[in-house]
């Protein structure tokens, strides 16, 4: 199956582009949601994302069980939004990050529909002040590199514009 990673900063347009790409496929479309509403602002964000999707979409809430959701999803296309929220849930839940990453990579390899993954690039900013922040930045970098290595296409998104990064000749 076709696999594509959309990587970029906050508010870069990566989710919109990934959704547009997924919507080129026939219904049903599967949205794997990794965010959790721990406060009112996040609940509003989740509600806006849901409102942006029409009736062709089925949402699977999978804040930690993302690999299982990908394995089980059957549809015209699967959209995962987003890997960095999933990583946050894995880390804060005390799960083995390396094992979770390996499980995710294996699931990507057996997806039963075109798969579109969204992730934040967090390595372009300042070094985080806290040990947890630095650990998250490092793990997000490892995750993005690992996913980019197994997908067919990777796009870096800035200001709503996508730059294709692979395949690469390096």
């Amino acid at each position: 199956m076709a696999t594509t990673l959309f990587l970029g900063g906050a508010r870069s347009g990566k989710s919109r582009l990934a959704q547009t790409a997924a919507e080129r496929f026939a219904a049903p479309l599967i949205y794997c949601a990794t965010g959790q509403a721990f406060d009112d602002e996040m609940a509003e964000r989740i509600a806006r994302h849901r409102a942006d999707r029409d009736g062709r979409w089925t949402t699977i809430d999978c804040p930690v069980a993302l690999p299982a959701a990908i394995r089980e999803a059957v549809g015209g296309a699967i959209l995962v939004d987003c890997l960095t929220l999933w990583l946050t849930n894995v880390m804060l839940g005390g799960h083995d990050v390396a094992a979770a990453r390996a499980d995710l990579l294996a699931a990507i390899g057996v997806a039963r529909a075109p798969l579109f993954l969204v992730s934040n690039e967090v390595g372009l900013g300042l070094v985080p002040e806290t040990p947890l922040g630095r650990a998250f930045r490092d793990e997000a970098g490892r995750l993005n590199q690992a996913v980019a290595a197994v997908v067919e296409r990777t796009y870096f998104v800035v200001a709503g514009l996508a730059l294709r990064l692979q395949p690469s000749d390096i």
Side-chain angles (χ1 to χ4, degrees), residues 37-98:
F38 290 121
D39 57 46
D40 291 342
E41 187 271 338
M42 189 62 174
E44 289 173 17
R45 283 178 181 266
I46 291 170
R48 278 194 310 271
H49 269 276
R50 283 186 188 263
D52 286 341
R53 298 189 301 273
D54 61 29
R56 296 176 292 166
W57 288 94
T58 298
T59 301
I60 300 172
D61 290 307
C62 47
V64 175
L66 176 60
I70 292 171
R71 283 186 186 94
E72 295 168 12
V74 177
I78 305 163
L79 172 58
V80 173
D81 199 357
C82 81
L83 295 180
T84 41
L85 281 175
W86 171 76
L87 177 63
T88 298
N89 299 331
V90 168
M91 290 179 71
L92 293 180
H95 302 279
D96 181 329
V97 174

Side-chain angles (χ1 to χ4, degrees), residues 83-127:
L83 295 180
T84 41
L85 281 175
W86 171 76
L87 177 63
T88 298
N89 299 331
V90 168
M91 290 179 71
L92 293 180
H95 302 279
D96 181 329
V97 174
R101 181 175 54 243
D103 193 22
L104 176 65
L105 296 174
I108 290 169
V110 298
R112 296 187 283 173
L115 178 63
F116 300 90
L117 303 133
V118 176
S119 191
N120 289 288
E121 174 50 63
V122 298
L124 297 174
L126 300 172
V127 174

Side-chain angles (χ1 to χ4, degrees), residues 125-150:
L126 300 172
V127 174
E129 287 185 24
T130 65
L132 179 58
R134 290 187 295 275
F136 175 77
R137 182 222 34 215
D138 294 349
E139 290 298 342
R142 288 182 192 102
L143 176 62
N144 288 339
Q145 289 181 53
V147 171
V150 300

